[in-house]
Amino acid sequence: EAMKKALKGVDRIVHLAAETGTGQSMYEIEKYFSVNVQGTANLLQLLQDNQSKKPIKSIVVASSRAVYGEGAYLCSEHSTVYPEQRSVEAMSSGKFEPVCPKCGKNVTLLPTSESAPFKPMSMYGLTKQVQEQAVLLYARTADINGIALRYQNVYGPGQSLKNPYTGILAIFSNLARQNQAIEIYEDGLESRDFVYIDDVIEYTIRSLRYQGSFTGALNVGSGEQVTVAAIASEVKKFFDSSSSILIAEKFRVGDIRHNIAEMQLAQRILGYTAKIKFEDGLNKFLTWAAAEPEQDKSAYQRSVDELTEKNLMESVR
């Protein structure tokens, strides 16, 4: 009923609603499918029912880089490959890097393009894949523009500082401000493509206003690779914190190792390239976070305990 009212007089839609957090999705499975998949189905049903009255011109949906899993890598023997999920056995022995799925050799990270196959490694990633495909299928059938924006690691002022499952910047900031130990999983060399909120907004608005004809997925990232260890160090430095930075000798089941987005297609379609460098965006985020109230000190540890209880946190032997 709420969506039905919201759709009155609307000819373009941005669909951002979803449950987020890869860890939680692995044990709150029904909730994630109910919200992400069924919620999207509810929206599309309303659009279909209303199509004869006032059809919409375009729909933009927030997808996720989680649909890729580990993403693209280069094997010296098999060229571009897409590794499988890292095994608990390998990670327990400290072997964190993905390997070629064909020969088992070491591989080198490549930017992942939109043509990469779907290989989600969490229930969250799987529901985002279904959400994306459902919206694009509807758009093709209705002969309207449909754009799935595969957001990388979005950050910036205004993001939640309360949820200990999503966003290492928020987690590290809370710990550093309280002078608590900052735990790093794996070996700290895992990396992510962080994209600042202002750039995300620009990509999204350009998608909404796109005047050409396009139905498909576009990456939304910075194309920069930043390690978790480097982030922890910068956050500690900003707050002049006495926090110790610890390699926790733990890993989360289902986490990916690296992430960097290929951005050429989004630049060609939308005519935009991310402007905010990570160093500048991080400073803006931390300046904002410093003025926010401190969060519950025990929230992070509760999240660790919960993942451990659900057999989703393992130790390196």
Side-chain angles (χ1 to χ4, degrees), residues 283-301:
N283 186 269
K284 291 181 180 184
F285 166 75
L286 295 175
T287 299
W288 167 79
E292 293 296 299
E294 289 192 5
Q295 302 301 315
D296 180 2
K297 289 186 177 182
S298 61
Y300 172 71
Q301 187 56 50

Side-chain angles (χ1 to χ4, degrees), residues 47 93 137 157 164 185-187 206 225 245 259 287 296 317:
L47 295 181
S93 61
L137 176 59
Y185 299 143
E186 299 185 24
D187 57 4
R206 285 175 179 246
Q225 180 187 3
I245 299 176
N259 170 36
T287 299
D296 180 2
R317 293 191 291 268

Side-chain angles (χ1 to χ4, degrees), residues 1 15-16 28 54 68 70 83 88 117 146 177 186 194 196 206 211 230 263 278 284 296-297 299 311 315:
E1 290 303 312
H15 175 15
L16 301 171
E28 294 186 348
K54 186 173 181 179
Y68 295 131
E70 290 290 353
V88 171
R177 290 177 68 191
E186 299 185 24
F194 287 91
Y196 191 68
R206 285 175 179 246
Q211 295 299 308
M263 293 303 302
F278 181 70
K284 291 181 180 184
D296 180 2
K297 289 186 177 182
N311 297 317
S315 299

Side-chain angles (χ1 to χ4, degrees), residues 57-61 135-136 139-140 144-148 214-217:
K57 297 177 181 178
S58 64
I59 181 168
V60 178
V61 61
V135 168
L136 296 184
R140 291 189 189 97
I144 62 174
N145 279 348
I147 301 179
F214 182 79
T215 300

Side-chain angles (χ1 to χ4, degrees), residues 143-203:
D143 195 25
I144 62 174
N145 279 348
I147 301 179
L149 297 177
R150 292 175 178 170
Y151 296 143
Q152 309 297 301
N153 289 69
V154 181
Y155 74 102
Q159 75 180 81
S160 173
L161 296 176
K162 296 180 180 180
N163 189 341
Y165 290 95
T166 58
I168 61 171
L169 290 176
I171 294 169
F172 288 176
S173 298
N174 289 333
L175 294 173
R177 290 177 68 191
Q178 297 164 1
N179 296 310
Q180 293 182 281
I182 299 174
E183 284 193 333
I184 297 177
Y185 299 143
E186 299 185 24
D187 57 4
L189 299 181
E190 62 272 28
S191 62
R192 298 291 184 266
D193 183 333
F194 287 91
V195 57
Y196 191 68
I197 185 61
D198 289 9
D199 284 323
V200 172
I201 290 169
E202 185 64 28
Y203 279 115

